[in-house]
């Protein structure tokens, strides 16, 4: 079925037609869903409808019967041995596409720059070997995510501006497959980097609402706003996602002259991420150069003996002062994340 026919069938039934991205349009689940709804509408037409409608119904039913045949015309006869052989063939091809030129210095440098700069405008010089249509088809069939990690090894080299890749990225982000990558945190981080503009857009939209509505219920968005809930969950699983969110929040917090509503949002965001974090340590979500400070700040001071508490505070303040001389923005971010240290830091810190 060609693209024009698919679009005509969908729109003829008063449904919006999703963008046709792939050469095989129905690989996109949204297109397949809209087409299925259109077919259902056509098949539900009254038998007393016009001859044209009845002929269309019969044509659709005939094609569905052909598709549902166990061995359609010209279809190769298969058995368990053939299936295993075919699976082995696909796995070998995936393995070869990953290993070919995988160790090249230039490719590794591209990946390093993209991961560290988080700049989506950097275009990798290495074209991914896996056909995105094959990848999308396997993702559609692969309910348990068995091959997902293998297929996403080259995700850092994908171009999010290309529709054939951006569609897969958005599906992975929104359809829950993200959680299947927990055993490979690098994949989580690469996906977050590629969707950086989308993450920033979501954060900015929430902040815009908060700043423009004086009675905005900040706490409620952590329970009622699915987009924001999803963002909190992703941040608890990916250091890159967490850092992208914190960077935007900290920038807005500073630019609004430390707006109290944004301060509340920041503190609640950090708390919810920490509560959802399944990693060994919450501190690993932060950039490496300040993660040691997070360990020091993220402690209940009341649980320390008085003598030890005083020494602990003095040592931590020393590190915070060093951070202030290196990056004032990072200091502001940490104090906004751990507000119990604000008064402690500035007590006798006028010099």
């Amino acid at each position: 079925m060609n693209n024009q026919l698919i679009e005509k069938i969908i729109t003829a039934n008063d449904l919006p037609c999703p963008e046709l991205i792939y050469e095989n349009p129905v690989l996109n689940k949204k297109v397949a869903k809209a087409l299925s709804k259109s077919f259902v509408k056509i098949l539900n037409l009254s038998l007393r409808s016009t001859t044209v409608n009845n002929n269309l119904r019969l044509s659709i039913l005939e094609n569905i019967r052909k598709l549902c045949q166990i061995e359609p015309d010209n279809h190769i006869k298969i058995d368990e041995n053939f299936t295993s052989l075919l699976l082995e063939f696909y796995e070998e091809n995936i393995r070869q596409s990953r290993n070919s030129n995988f160790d090249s210095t230039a490719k590794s440098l591209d990946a390093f720059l993209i991961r560290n700069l988080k700049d989506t405008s950097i275009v990798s010089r290495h074209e991914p070997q896996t056909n995105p249509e094959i990848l999308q088809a396997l993702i559609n069939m692969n309910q348990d995510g068995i091959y997902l990690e293998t297929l996403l090894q080259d995700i850092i080299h994908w171009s999010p501006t290309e529709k054939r890749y951006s569609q897969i990225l958005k599906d992975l982000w929104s359809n829950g497959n993200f959680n299947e990558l927990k055993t490979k945190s690098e994949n989580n981080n690469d996906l977050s980097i590629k969707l950086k503009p989308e993450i920033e857009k979501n954060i900015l939209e929430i902040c815009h609402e908060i700043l423009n509505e004086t009675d905005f219920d900040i706490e409620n968005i952590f329970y009622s706003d699915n987009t924001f809930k999803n963002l909190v969950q992703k941040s608890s699983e990916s250091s890159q996602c967490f850092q992208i969110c914190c960077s935007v929040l900290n920038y807005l917090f500073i630019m609004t002259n430390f707006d109290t509503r944004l301060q509340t949002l920041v503190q609640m965001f950090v708390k919810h991420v920490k509560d959802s974090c399944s990693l060994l340590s919450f501190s690993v979500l932060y950039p490496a150069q300040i993660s040691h400070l997070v360990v020091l700040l993220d402690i209940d001071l009341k649980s320390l003996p008085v003598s030890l508490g005083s020494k602990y505070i003095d040592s931590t303040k020393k590190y915070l002062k060093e951070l202030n001389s290196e990056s004032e923005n990072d200091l502001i971010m940490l104090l906004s994340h751990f507000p119990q240290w604000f008064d402690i830091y500035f007590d006798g810190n006028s010099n």
Side-chain angles (χ1 to χ4, degrees):
M1 189 180 295
N2 61 46
N3 290 12
Q4 288 182 338
L5 184 56
I6 289 175
E7 187 172 1
K8 186 174 182 180
I9 290 174
I10 294 174
T11 55
N13 284 278
D14 299 324
L15 293 172
C17 182
E19 190 175 6
L20 306 181
I21 298 169
Y22 303 117
E23 186 176 342
N24 178 2
V26 292
L27 282 175
N28 185 341
K29 293 180 182 179
K30 292 181 181 178
V31 175
K33 186 176 181 180
L35 189 60
S36 298
K37 285 184 177 180
S38 299
F39 283 155
V40 170
K41 279 193 173 185
I42 293 171
L43 294 174
N44 281 333
L45 289 172
S46 170
L47 291 175
R48 291 175 292 181
S49 298
T50 65
T51 304
V52 174
N53 284 335
N54 283 329
N55 288 340
L56 182 58
R57 282 162 49 85
L58 292 173
S59 175
I60 292 173
L61 287 170
E62 182 61 30
N63 279 284
I64 291 175
R65 289 191 188 99
K66 288 180 180 179
L67 290 171
C68 291
Q69 289 178 18
I70 296 175
E71 293 184 358
D73 295 340
N74 302 318
H75 194 281
I76 189 170
K77 294 182 181 296
I78 62 172
D79 56 23
E80 289 184 2
N81 292 328
F82 183 86
T83 304
S84 299
L85 184 64
L86 190 61
L87 185 58
E88 185 179 335
F89 170 78
Y90 279 129
E91 287 178 335
E92 181 61 28
N93 273 267
I94 291 169
R95 201 176 297 114
Q96 288 179 1
S97 68
R98 283 183 57 202
N99 293 334
S100 61
N101 203 29
F102 185 77
D103 295 323
S104 72
T105 304
K107 184 174 183 180
S108 298
L109 179 59
D110 280 354
F112 174 81
L113 290 174
I114 295 170
R115 288 182 179 128
N116 284 273
L117 297 178
K118 302 181 187 67
D119 189 347
T120 54
S121 65
I122 296 177
V123 179
S124 175
R125 291 163 291 177
H126 295 269
E127 185 72 21
Q129 300 295 314
T130 308
N131 185 320
E133 296 212 1
I134 293 175
L135 177 55
Q136 183 64 64
L138 287 172
I139 290 174
N140 290 345
M141 294 186 295
N142 183 24
Q143 297 294 326
D144 299 322
I146 299 171
Y147 304 108
L148 200 52
E149 289 185 9
T150 303
L151 293 169
L152 294 181
Q153 293 302 308
D154 257 4
I155 192 174
I156 197 66
H157 297 286
W158 291 6
S159 173
T161 58
E162 289 189 42
K163 292 178 181 178
R164 56 182 185 158
Y165 288 118
S166 65
Q167 184 62 46
I168 300 174
L169 290 169
K170 289 177 181 178
D171 284 347
L172 288 171
W173 179 266
S174 60
N175 293 340
N177 289 324
F178 196 91
N179 292 335
E180 296 164 4
L181 304 176
K182 283 182 179 177
T183 57
K184 190 69 173 177
S185 59
E186 188 176 271
N187 287 339
N188 290 343
N189 287 330
D190 289 350
L191 180 57
S192 297
I193 290 171
K194 291 300 174 181
L195 288 170
K196 181 184 176 186
E198 194 74 16
I199 295 172
E200 292 175 332
K201 175 176 174 287
N202 291 337
I203 288 287
L204 288 169
E205 286 177 347
I206 289 293
C207 291
H208 180 265
E209 288 185 51
I210 291 173
L211 293 172
N212 282 276
E213 297 180 24
T214 53
D215 58 346
F216 190 93
D217 187 351
I218 298 176
E219 184 175 3
N220 188 49
I221 63 173
F222 289 91
Y223 304 99
S224 63
D225 189 309
N226 290 331
T227 299
F228 202 70
K229 284 167 60 179
N230 191 35
L231 201 55
V232 169
Q233 184 60 42
K234 300 293 192 296
S235 294
S236 72
E237 299 162 1
S238 164
S239 60
Q240 293 288 3
C241 182
F242 179 72
Q243 290 171 29
I244 291 169
C245 291
C246 289
S247 178
V248 176
L249 288 170
N250 197 49
Y251 175 79
L252 291 175
F253 184 50
I254 294 171
M255 295 304 294
T256 56
N257 197 25
F258 312 116
D259 186 274
T260 55
R261 289 165 295 178
L262 289 187
Q263 183 180 11
T264 301
L265 175 67
V266 169
Q267 291 172 12
M268 294 189 68
F269 175 78
V270 172
K271 180 184 181 303
H272 280 270
V273 169
K274 184 180 178 181
D275 291 344
S276 302
C277 187
S278 59
L279 302 176
L280 293 176
S281 171
F282 172 63
S283 64
V284 300
L285 292 177
Y286 289 81
Q289 68 271 20
I290 61 172
S291 61
H292 67 288
L293 263 170
V294 174
V295 174
L296 293 173
L297 297 173
D298 189 24
I299 189 171
D300 182 9
L301 293 174
K302 295 179 181 178
S303 65
L304 298 176
V306 176
S307 57
L308 177 60
S310 178
K311 293 179 181 178
Y312 187 92
I313 288 173
D314 289 341
S315 297
T316 304
K317 284 177 65 175
K318 177 185 174 183
Y319 286 118
L320 288 172
K321 290 177 183 178
E322 290 176 359
L323 178 64
N324 185 36
S325 63
E326 296 169 4
S327 174
E328 187 179 20
N329 285 351
D330 282 345
L331 175 67
I332 292 171
M333 182 183 74
L334 288 182
L335 291 179
S336 68
H337 288 195
F338 302 95
Q340 68 272 25
W341 282 90
F342 184 88
D343 289 336
I344 296 174
Y345 176 75
F346 285 103
D347 180 29
N349 195 43
S350 58
N351 59 331

